Amino acid sequence: MIPPQEASVRRREIEDKLKQEEETLSFIRDSLEKSDQLTKNMVSILSSFESRLMKLENSIIPVHKQTENLQRLQENVEKTLSCLDHVISYYHVASDTEKIIREGPTGRLEEYLGCMAKIQKAVEYFQDNNPDSPELNRVKFLFERGKESLESEFRSLMTRHSKVVSPVLILDLISGEDEMEAQDDITLEHLSESVLHDVIRISRWLVEYGRNQDFMNVYYQIRSSQLDRSIKGLKEHFRKSTSSSGVPYSPAIPNKRKDTPTKKPVKRPGTIRKAQNLLKQYSQHGLDGKKGGSNLIPLEGRDDMLDMEIDAYIHCVSAFVKLAQSEYQLLTDIIPEHHQKKTFDSLIQDALDGLMMEGENIVSVARKAIIRHDYSAVLTVFPILRHLKQTKPEFDQVLQGTAASTKNKLPGLITSMETTGAKALEDFADNIKNDPDKEYNMPKDGTVHELTSNAILFLQQLLDFQETAGAMLASQETSSSATSYNSEFSKRLLSTYICKVLGNLQLNLLSKSKVYEDPALRAIFLHNNYNYILKSLEKSELIHLVAVTQKTAERSYREHIEQQIQTYQRSWLKVTDYISEKNLPVFQPGVKLRDKERQMIKERFKGFNDGLEELCKIQKAWAIPDTEQRDKIRQAQKTIVKENYGAFLHRYASVPFTKNPEKYIKYRVEQVADMIERLFDTSA
C-alpha cells in the first residue's frame, strides 16, 4: 500500500496540473473567439473592397479605351507631320544644295557627295510620287550638273597630280630589282594618299550612282600619256647624258653625281662598244699597223651614239615592265574590277607601240646595213634580243588579260629580230666566202688581212650571245630536233656556223694569196692569217665552241701553219743551194786549184751573197706580227743558213781561189745571222 503521505502529495500534483490545463483551455477558447471575430471583420472588409473595386472597374475601362484611342490619334498625327516634313524636305533639297553644287567638290568632296546623295533621293521621290512636278526637273538638273562637276574634278585631280616619273627614279627602280632590301625602299607613288582617296571615292560614286564609264577613258588617257612620257624621258636622259659627258648614266655605268643613284648596278644585257671599237681599229689598221681593206666595213664615228641607243632601248624595255606593273596596281584601286583589263590594255598601248616601233626601226636599220655588207650592225640586235627574251616572262605576266593583239607584239618583234639576225649571220658567212680578190686590198707585207681580223672579231662577239645566236639559227630550222633539244641543238648549230665561217675564210684566204707572185710571201700571208685565227680562237675560247662539231680544228690549224713555214723556208734554197756540198770541187790540200775550180768557188760565193742580200732586202719589208712565231721562224732559218754557210766558209775561206778574197767573202757567219735577225722588222 501507498503511504498516505505520498498519496496526498500525488493528489496535489494532479490537481495542480488539472488546474493548469483548464487555464490553457480557457485561453484557447478566448483566442478562438477573437479569431472568429477578426475573420468576420476581414470578410466584411473584403466584401466592401470587392464592391468598390467593381464600381471602379466599371468606371475606368471606358476612360482607358478613350485614352488609348486618343494616343493612337496622336501617333497618327505625329507620323503624318513627320511624313509631311520628309516630303517638304524634298522640295527644299534644290535650294539647300544648289550653292554647294554650283561651287564644285574641290576641297570638300565628302560634303559634296552628301549633297549629291540628297539630290539623288529627291529625284527618286519625285519620279515615284510626282513625276509631273517642276521640282523633279530642278533636282534632275542639279544631279546632272553635280555629276559633271565630279567628272571634271576626277579629270582635274588626275591631270594635276599625275607626274612623269623621273629617269633617275626609274633607273633606281630597275637597278634595285635584284636587291630584296632595295625593293622595299624604292616605290612609285603616282598619287598622294589624300588625292588617291578622293579619286577612288569619285570613281566609285560615278560607277554606282552616276552610271558613267567616261571617266575610265579619261583615266587611261591621262595615265597613258604619263607612262609614255616617262619612258621617253628616260631615253632623252640617255641622249643628253651622252651628248654632255659621252657616257650615259645607267646602273651598268655607275655615276658618282649626287643627283643620280649609287646602288648596286643592274646586270646589263651587254653592248657592242668594245666590238665596234675593235672592228673599227682593225678596219683602219691591220694587225701590224698597215692599212688594210675589205668590204666588211664596221661602224665608224657612231659608237657612242649607237651604244647609247641600244642601252637606252634596253633600259626603256625594263622601265616599261616596271612602270606597267605599277600602273596596274594603281588602276586596281580606281577602276572597277570588270573594266580593269580593258582599261589597262588601252593605257599601255602608246608606250608599248612606241617600244615596238623603235625595235622595228632597229631591225630595219640592221637590215639596211646588212644589205651594205655592214655586218657589225647586226651586233645591235644581239643584246636587245637577248634582253627581250629574258624580259618576256615578265612581259607576259604584265600583259595577262589584255587583247591577243597586245600580247603578240613582243613575240612578233622577237621573231623579226631572230629572222633578221639569222639572215645577217648567213649573209656574213657567204660574204666571207665571196669577198672579192682585190689586189690593192691585199697587205703588201703579208700581214693579217682585214677580212680575217673582222671575221674573227665578229665571231668573238658571238661568245657573249651564244644562246641568242644559237636561237637565231635554230629559229630558221624546221626539223623536229630543233624543238626537242633546244639548248643543245642551238649550241651545235652555232658551232656548225662558226666552222662554216672559218672554212669560208680559209678558202677565201687561199684564193687571195694567189695575188702574191712570190710563193714565200704567199706562205707568210697564209701563215700570219692561220696563226691569227688559231691564237684568236684559243684566246677567246671560241676553240671550245668549234670543238663541239669539229674536234680536230686546233690540230688542223697547227698543221697548216707548219706547212706554210716549210713553204717559206724553201725560198732560202736558192741561197743555200750555192753553198751546199753537192757539185762543189774536191781538192787536195796544197794542190793548186785549176781556173775552172776557182771560178766555180767565186760563183758560189757571189751567188750566196747576192741571194742573201736580195732575200733580206725583200723579206725585211714583210711582217710577222706574232713575236713568238717571228722569233721561231728567224731562229730556224738562222740555224739552217749558219750551218751551211759556216761549213762552206770553213772549207773555202783559206783556199786561194782569188787575189781579192774580201770581194767574195763579204760576210762572217755572225753577220749573216744578224741579217736574218732583222727579217720581218719594218722598223729596222
Side-chain angles (χ1 to χ4, degrees):
M1 289 189 63
I2 301 173
Q5 188 177 356
E6 291 182 0
S8 177
V9 173
R10 181 72 177 271
R11 189 177 56 192
R12 280 197 302 274
E13 290 177 351
I14 293 171
E15 289 175 353
D16 291 338
K17 188 174 183 180
L18 181 62
K19 186 179 179 178
Q20 289 176 351
E21 294 292 333
E22 289 176 351
E23 290 176 353
T24 301
L25 181 61
S26 176
F27 176 76
I28 290 172
R29 287 194 186 98
D30 291 340
S31 296
L32 287 173
E33 290 176 358
K34 290 180 181 180
S35 177
D36 289 341
Q37 185 63 40
L38 289 173
T39 300
K40 291 178 181 178
N41 292 339
M42 180 59 69
V43 170
S44 176
I45 292 171
L46 289 174
S47 298
S48 176
F49 180 75
E50 182 181 8
S51 175
R52 291 180 181 180
L53 187 61
M54 290 180 63
K55 291 180 181 179
L56 179 62
E57 182 179 357
N58 292 332
S59 300
I60 290 299
I61 286 177
V63 174
H64 174 71
K65 289 181 178 179
Q66 185 176 6
T67 302
E68 187 177 33
N69 290 334
L70 288 174
Q71 288 177 340
R72 189 177 295 109
L73 289 174
Q74 184 180 4
E75 289 177 359
N76 290 337
V77 170
E78 289 177 352
K79 288 181 179 179
T80 301
L81 290 175
S82 176
C83 288
L84 286 174
D85 289 339
H86 182 67
V87 170
I88 292 172
S89 68
Y90 288 126
Y91 286 86
H92 291 95
V93 165
S95 58
D96 291 343
T97 61
E98 185 174 10
K99 181 180 178 181
I100 295 175
I101 297 301
R102 185 175 63 252
E103 292 176 352
T106 304
R108 51 179 177 183
L109 179 62
E110 293 301 327
E111 181 184 3
Y112 194 89
L113 291 177
C115 290
M116 289 299 294
K118 292 179 182 178
I119 295 172
Q120 184 181 6
K121 289 180 180 178
V123 170
E124 293 171 353
Y125 171 79
F126 288 121
Q127 285 177 335
D128 293 339
N129 298 282
N130 194 1
D132 298 327
S133 170
E135 286 296 323
L136 176 60
N137 294 331
R138 189 178 179 188
V139 291
K140 271 188 173 182
F141 172 78
L142 282 178
F143 184 82
E144 291 301 321
R145 183 172 181 176
K147 185 170 72 171
E148 291 175 0
S149 295
L150 285 171
E151 293 171 356
S152 297
E153 180 69 5
F154 183 87
R155 179 186 293 273
S156 176
L157 287 172
M158 291 300 304
T159 302
R160 285 187 288 113
H161 297 281
S162 292
K163 304 298 182 183
V164 174
V165 183
S166 71
V168 171
L169 184 56
I170 294 175
L171 290 170
D172 268 344
L173 185 66
I174 297 172
S175 66
E177 63 186 352
D178 293 329
E179 300 178 33
M180 297 303 295
E181 67 277 6
Q183 284 287 68
D184 297 333
D185 298 333
I186 304 174
T187 56
L188 294 179
E189 185 181 61
H190 297 290
L191 300 173
S192 65
E193 187 175 347
S194 60
V195 172
L196 180 60
H197 174 268
D198 289 351
V199 168
I200 293 173
R201 290 283 286 121
I202 294 174
S203 69
R204 289 179 179 174
W205 189 93
L206 290 173
V207 170
E208 186 174 356
Y209 303 109
R211 305 293 189 270
N212 189 333
Q213 297 181 7
D214 291 342
F215 77 95
M216 300 180 196
N217 296 331
V218 171
Y219 176 86
Y220 92 71
Q221 289 169 1
I222 293 173
R223 294 308 307 170
S224 175
S225 174
Q226 300 303 322
L227 175 61
D228 191 41
R229 289 170 60 194
S230 296
I231 294 176
K232 288 179 178 177
L234 177 62
K235 183 178 179 182
E236 184 67 12
H237 172 74
F238 275 84
R239 188 189 67 80
K240 288 182 178 179
S241 298
T242 300
S243 61
S244 60
S245 64
V247 180
Y249 165 74
S250 76
I253 308 175
N255 195 318
K256 296 298 184 180
R257 296 183 303 174
K258 293 182 179 179
D259 61 339
T260 56
T262 57
K263 295 183 181 293
K264 179 181 179 181
V266 68
K267 292 181 179 178
R268 191 176 180 186
T271 59
I272 63 167
R273 178 177 295 162
K274 177 181 178 182
Q276 290 174 337
N277 286 340
L278 289 172
L279 285 170
K280 180 178 177 181
Q281 172 187 344
Y282 282 104
S283 70
Q284 294 175 342
H285 304 284
L287 193 64
D288 62 341
K290 295 292 185 180
K291 289 277 185 176
S294 170
N295 64 344
L296 297 174
I297 302 174
L299 299 175
E300 296 183 13
R302 296 183 292 152
D303 294 350
D304 288 341
M305 184 58 66
L306 184 58
D307 195 28
M308 179 280 295
E309 291 177 358
I310 296 169
D311 214 24
Y313 185 75
I314 287 172
H315 282 81
C316 285
V317 169
S318 296
F320 172 81
V321 173
K322 293 299 179 183
L323 293 177
Q325 289 173 341
S326 179
E327 287 292 344
Y328 189 77
Q329 292 174 357
L330 177 66
L331 177 142
T332 54
D333 292 330
I334 300 173
I335 304 300
E337 183 176 0
H338 54 288
H339 292 285
Q340 289 174 1
K341 294 296 184 181
K342 182 179 179 181
T343 303
F344 179 70
D345 196 344
S346 301
L347 188 155
I348 62 174
Q349 284 303 314
D350 287 347
L352 182 59
D353 286 344
L355 284 177
M356 296 302 106
M357 184 179 298
E358 190 173 349
E360 288 294 347
N361 288 340
I362 292 172
V363 173
S364 178
V365 169
R367 287 196 189 106
K368 293 177 182 178
I370 292 164
I371 294 174
R372 300 192 308 269
H373 303 297
D374 180 7
Y375 297 105
S376 63
V378 77
L379 294 174
T380 62
V381 175
F382 280 94
I384 294 174
L385 177 58
R386 180 171 67 179
H387 186 67
L388 289 179
K389 295 180 81 169
Q390 289 174 343
T391 313
K392 187 177 181 298
E394 289 184 90
F395 248 98
D396 293 341
Q397 184 178 8
V398 169
L399 299 183
Q400 278 183 350
T402 57
S405 58
T406 302
K407 294 177 181 178
N408 291 333
K409 287 181 179 179
L410 180 64
L413 178 59
I414 289 175
T415 300
S416 179
M417 286 190 169
E418 284 188 331
T419 303
T420 301
K423 177 68 164 55
L425 291 176
E426 291 302 326
D427 284 2
F428 177 79
D430 292 340
N431 196 74
I432 290 293
K433 181 178 181 180
N434 301 319
D435 184 61
D437 297 325
K438 297 179 181 178
E439 186 174 351
Y440 62 85
N441 277 342
M442 295 295 291
K444 295 180 180 180
D445 55 4
T447 190
V448 177
H449 197 282
E450 186 185 0
L451 176 69
T452 303
S453 60
N454 281 352
I456 293 299
L457 286 166
F458 185 87
L459 294 179
Q460 285 175 345
Q461 303 316 304
L462 300 185
L463 285 174
D464 293 331
F465 305 99
Q466 292 184 46
E467 293 184 8
T468 305
M472 281 181 178
L473 297 170
S475 67
Q476 306 306 304
E477 295 289 326
T478 57
S479 62
S480 59
S481 58
T483 55
S484 300
Y485 305 97
N486 190 22
S487 178
E488 184 63 28
F489 181 79
S490 298
K491 188 174 183 179
R492 292 188 65 82
L493 275 181
L494 183 58
S495 176
T496 301
Y497 170 78
I498 292 175
C499 292
K500 177 182 178 181
V501 172
L502 293 175
N504 289 350
L505 177 60
Q506 187 172 342
L507 290 174
N508 199 314
L509 290 173
L510 284 171
S511 176
K512 288 182 183 301
S513 68
K514 296 176 183 178
V515 172
Y516 299 113
E517 296 180 359
D518 190 334
L521 181 55
R522 190 181 309 151
I524 290 297
F525 171 76
L526 292 175
H527 165 274
N528 283 333
N529 282 271
Y530 292 156
N531 183 65
Y532 177 85
I533 293 171
L534 178 59
K535 291 295 180 66
S536 299
L537 293 178
E538 292 175 336
K539 185 176 181 180
S540 63
E541 297 184 1
L542 269 172
I543 195 68
H544 300 307
L545 195 53
V546 170
V548 172
T549 54
Q550 196 173 94
K551 305 292 185 182
T552 61
E554 183 176 0
R555 185 180 66 188
S556 177
Y557 274 110
R558 295 193 185 281
E559 290 174 354
H560 287 316
I561 292 169
E562 190 59 36
Q563 182 181 356
Q564 297 308 319
I565 292 176
Q566 293 174 6
T567 301
Y568 162 74
Q569 288 176 342
R570 284 197 288 271
S571 69
W572 281 83
L573 290 177
K574 61 182 179 180
V575 176
T576 56
D577 277 351
Y578 283 106
I579 57 176
S580 62
E581 293 187 4
K582 63 180 180 177
N583 300 323
L584 284 176
V586 180
F587 61 91
Q588 295 296 326
V591 178
K592 185 177 180 181
L593 295 176
R594 291 174 295 180
D595 291 341
K596 182 180 180 180
E597 293 173 337
R598 285 196 298 270
Q599 185 61 33
M600 183 181 293
I601 295 173
K602 289 178 183 179
E603 289 175 357
R604 295 301 175 91
F605 269 108
K606 186 177 187 305
F608 173 80
N609 293 335
D610 292 345
L612 176 66
E613 291 169 356
E614 181 184 0
L615 277 185
C616 288
K617 180 180 179 181
I618 294 173
Q619 296 184 9
K620 181 180 177 181
W622 298 353
I624 299 180
D626 189 316
T627 304
E628 181 181 351
Q629 286 292 314
R630 184 169 64 237
D631 292 342
K632 174 184 175 183
I633 293 174
R634 282 173 176 171
Q635 187 60 42
Q637 204 57 51
K638 280 194 298 183
T639 300
I640 296 172
V641 176
K642 282 172 65 177
E643 288 180 358
N644 284 272
Y645 184 63
F648 180 76
L649 197 59
H650 177 73
R651 176 178 295 184
Y652 295 105
S654 59
V655 174
F657 64 90
T658 179
K659 294 179 180 180
N660 300 307
E662 66 278 357
K663 179 180 178 181
Y664 298 98
I665 307 176
K666 296 173 63 174
Y667 304 104
R668 300 189 306 274
V669 175
E670 293 74 15
Q671 288 178 309
V672 172
D674 186 60
M675 291 172 68
I676 296 175
E677 184 65 31
R678 291 197 294 270
L679 296 179
F680 317 116
D681 187 358
T682 56
S683 63

